[in-house]
Amino acid sequence: MVLKKARQDKILDLVRRYEIETQEEMLLRLKECGYMVTQATVSRDIRELNLIKGISARGVYCYAVPQKKENTAHPFGNVMSDSVVSVDAAGNMAVIKTYPGLASAVAGYIDSQNLPEILGTIAGDDAVFIVVRDASRAGHFCEKIKMLLEK
């Protein structure tokens, strides 16, 4: 596993330094650096590293490292803003109403946040019941959700 990591790090370095147009060229560059690998291994590494082909300054297609998005979006995407109809608290419970069929996605998003004030969620078809540690935290949780929806 250490060799694979080192090889893939070298591939990333090569892609950043050179305009590598083909897997064969990548293979040759790796061999120049002392990595004796097959074309199949290079192909697999390219796929695992999610390398893309982009147009270079010279106008040729070559491998590139995809740019990381500045947006640190959650894997659930916009599930909250696209799904939630209303949010309200009653005692130590919060209730989130959603469009039909979307409650489990909203509950999954909330569960994934690992919020210390949340004891658990139960999702139906269009509602999520959230058990919060106490009534004051339930109100605060609802306010946080409402603020999230305004973004």
Side-chain angles (χ1 to χ4, degrees):
M1 193 55 90
V2 173
L3 293 175
K4 178 178 179 179
K5 171 90 170 96
R7 182 182 67 245
Q8 288 185 346
D9 286 346
K10 178 50 79 175
I11 288 171
L12 292 172
D13 177 55
L14 291 170
V15 165
R16 288 181 179 114
R17 291 175 46 205
Y18 303 103
E19 292 179 353
I20 300 175
E21 297 178 47
T22 64
Q23 289 183 7
E24 291 76 23
E25 184 180 351
M26 179 74 72
L27 188 62
L28 290 173
R29 295 244 184 222
L30 283 169
K31 286 184 178 179
E32 289 171 358
C33 295
Y35 292 92
M36 300 316 219
V37 294
T38 65
Q39 186 273 330
T41 299
V42 169
S43 178
R44 193 169 31 256
D45 285 342
I46 288 170
R47 187 175 55 253
E48 288 177 9
L49 292 169
N50 296 315
L51 296 182
I52 59 172
K53 279 250 183 151
I55 298 179
S56 73
R58 294 185 308 131
V60 297
Y61 281 96
C62 59
Y63 287 103
V65 179
Q67 297 297 315
K68 291 191 176 174
K69 295 178 182 176
E70 291 301 316
N71 180 3
T72 55
H74 193 274
F76 285 91
N78 297 327
V79 72
M80 294 299 283
S81 60
D82 292 346
S83 306
V84 174
V85 175
S86 67
V87 182
D88 206 351
N92 72 324
M93 299 268 306
V95 178
I96 298 177
K97 293 285 202 167
T98 70
Y99 293 107
L102 297 175
S104 62
V106 170
Y109 173 81
I110 293 167
D111 289 340
S112 74
Q113 299 303 296
N114 296 316
L115 301 170
E117 68 266 28
I118 304 300
L119 295 174
T121 62
I122 300 172
D125 182 59
D126 63 353
V128 181
F129 293 91
I130 302 109
V131 179
V132 186
R133 292 198 183 277
D134 56 54
S136 67
R137 291 187 197 184
H140 181 69
F141 171 77
C142 288
E143 292 307 313
K144 284 190 344 189
I145 296 298
K146 288 176 183 175
M147 287 175 50
L148 179 67
L149 296 175
E150 291 174 2
K151 290 183 181 182

